Amino acid sequence: MTEGHEPELSIDDQAMLWVLEGQKDPESLAQAMRWCAESPEHRAAYDRVEAALIRLDPAGKSLRSNEMAGQTGRSDQRLWKLAVAASVIGLLVISLLGFKKEAGQPQGQREVAVGGGRVQDDPLVLSTKRGEVRKVTLADGSMVTLDSDSRLLVWMRSDRRNLELDHGRVHFEVAHDRSRPFTVMADGGSTTALGTVFDVERRAQCKVNVVLFEGKVAVTPPCQPQRGDGPVVKRYLEPGERLRYSPPAAQEIPAVPEPAPANEGQWVTGVKSYNDETVGSILAEVNLYSQAQLVADTPGIANMRVSADLHIRNPQNVAKHLARSLGLTVEFQGNDKIILKK
């Protein structure tokens, strides 16, 4: 059982305190994630509170920044945290009442999504920090796994399910519902699926990758100019295929489906199998998960090739494994750099 807040508090109150504390330091965030892992109810409550704070971000920032100076005792800190929680909960109640009043008016009517009380124009926002991988069940039963440093916006509507990947990578396991298409947007392009398992990745402007594992998807390219002379070209993927898009100025030929590497999607588990891969490519992926960056000392080392099963979220272990396999040494420079050297 995670050491944390008083058990007499409700799960929602505990979630509020964990969210507030997790925004202050990494150790508290790690404790919060352990609390979330104890039960689905903890995870759901944490997601609700975090999404609500993001929607009310100006108020949330103001509340979080007004910590009372000089009060270092446990009781004083607890009273302050509960006061902040009560204030934010009050704002949420007022906000939801406002939505209900607005929904009763003929014009500007809003649609409330089932499960979560989110309105049509107000998305659920899911995000992860560097090194965090997070799995969330959406209101329709679909499951999304957010990779390190990712941000996903979700709109659940009665006739469709719209999502937008702001940045990062997400693994989608889509609940079957033919009456509501499931569409993921990224840089103006879209991936539409029904009962499908796929990844969408966006790490830079107009650089989008789509990988299909099960089912079928229709993909439109990102960053395309508006055209009035015809429909947008769609590409259809079969399981085991991927599409890779680059900025229009850099992409010499239109993207076409190609076989996906066998290790695509393994990032979800944290252990990835590399077959004759360059050290540089491996380091680039490992560096997505840690503040401590892995660096090849020379281009020659970066171009070395290796086959291995690696724990990509643990840069120290990756460095030691590569060093043993390739006859290299490992040099640690402080807490933020690990260098592979001859």
Side-chain angles (χ1 to χ4, degrees):
M1 192 77 174
T2 302
E3 180 182 354
H5 302 296
E6 289 79 350
E8 66 268 16
L9 296 178
S10 71
I11 289 178
D12 284 342
D13 287 344
Q14 292 182 62
M16 177 66 74
L17 295 177
W18 280 125
V19 170
L20 293 171
E21 290 181 349
Q23 293 173 342
K24 293 192 297 181
D25 66 86
E27 184 177 345
S28 293
L29 178 61
Q31 289 181 317
M33 293 300 100
R34 289 194 292 272
W35 181 81
C36 288
E38 289 178 0
S39 74
E41 290 79 9
H42 287 185
R43 178 82 260 182
Y46 188 93
D47 290 341
R48 286 197 303 271
V49 171
E50 185 178 54
L53 279 175
I54 291 172
R55 293 201 302 273
L56 296 173
D57 198 49
K61 284 182 178 177
S62 174
L63 288 167
R64 292 193 296 274
S65 66
N66 288 332
E67 183 167 7
M68 298 171 66
Q71 294 188 348
T72 57
R74 175 176 172 82
S75 61
D76 287 338
Q77 289 180 0
R78 181 175 178 271
L79 287 173
W80 172 79
K81 291 171 188 172
L82 289 174
V84 170
S87 300
V88 175
I89 289 171
L91 285 172
L92 295 179
V93 170
I94 293 171
S95 176
L96 290 174
L97 287 175
F99 289 147
K100 289 180 181 178
K101 181 179 179 181
E102 202 170 326
Q105 298 173 351
Q107 65 271 20
Q109 199 166 34
R110 294 171 183 245
E111 176 183 322
V112 179
V114 175
R118 287 173 288 276
V119 297
Q120 183 175 6
D121 297 323
D122 190 28
L124 168 65
V125 181
L126 302 173
S127 63
T128 54
K129 297 179 174 62
R130 180 185 286 271
E132 179 187 7
V133 175
R134 179 177 173 190
K135 188 172 185 177
V136 179
T137 301
L138 303 180
D140 69 329
S142 298
M143 288 186 290
V144 296
T145 303
L146 282 76
D147 199 5
S148 170
D149 188 22
S150 299
R151 187 171 185 265
L152 180 71
L153 286 71
V154 182
W155 292 265
M156 287 291 168
R157 296 165 175 164
S158 62
D159 60 342
R160 60 195 184 279
R161 297 167 287 177
N162 289 351
L163 304 91
E164 182 175 351
L165 179 59
D166 181 73
H167 62 269
R169 176 167 53 181
V170 180
H171 180 75
F172 298 92
E173 299 173 53
V174 182
H176 184 74
D177 186 349
R178 286 190 176 275
S179 66
R180 291 198 297 166
F182 189 102
T183 300
V184 181
M185 303 291 296
D187 279 334
S190 66
T191 302
T192 301
L194 287 170
T196 303
V197 180
F198 62 98
D199 282 4
V200 179
E201 180 178 20
R202 179 195 181 274
R203 298 289 182 185
Q205 184 74 26
C206 300
K207 190 172 183 180
V208 176
N209 297 331
V210 180
V211 185
L212 180 64
F213 303 102
E214 297 178 16
K216 196 168 188 175
V217 293
V219 184
T220 63
C223 299
Q224 295 297 301
Q226 294 293 329
R227 295 180 56 183
D229 57 348
V232 176
V233 176
K234 290 184 179 180
R235 300 287 187 185
Y236 294 89
L237 289 182
E238 298 292 338
E241 292 183 336
R242 70 177 178 182
L243 274 167
R244 295 188 292 173
Y245 293 100
S246 299
Q251 189 152 355
E252 297 179 0
I253 59 174
V256 295
E258 62 183 17
N263 61 2
E264 285 282 11
Q266 291 180 353
W267 63 268
V268 173
T269 68
V271 178
K272 193 163 183 177
S273 299
Y274 295 96
N275 182 25
D276 194 33
E277 186 64 70
T278 66
V279 169
S281 297
I282 295 173
L283 300 191
E285 184 155 24
V286 173
N287 286 339
L288 295 174
Y289 297 93
S290 175
Q291 298 296 338
Q293 297 291 281
L294 265 171
V295 179
D297 190 46
T298 66
I301 294 175
N303 290 328
M304 286 181 171
R305 308 190 79 90
V306 67
S307 297
D309 295 337
L310 300 174
H311 292 268
I312 57 176
R313 301 177 200 168
N314 190 324
Q316 291 83 2
N317 281 357
V318 170
K320 292 175 183 177
H321 188 108
L322 293 177
R324 286 196 303 269
S325 300
L326 300 171
L328 304 174
T329 60
V330 179
E331 179 181 310
F332 293 87
Q333 289 192 357
N335 295 322
D336 58 358
K337 186 176 286 189
I338 305 171
I339 303 176
L340 289 171
K341 308 180 78 169
K342 281 283 191 182

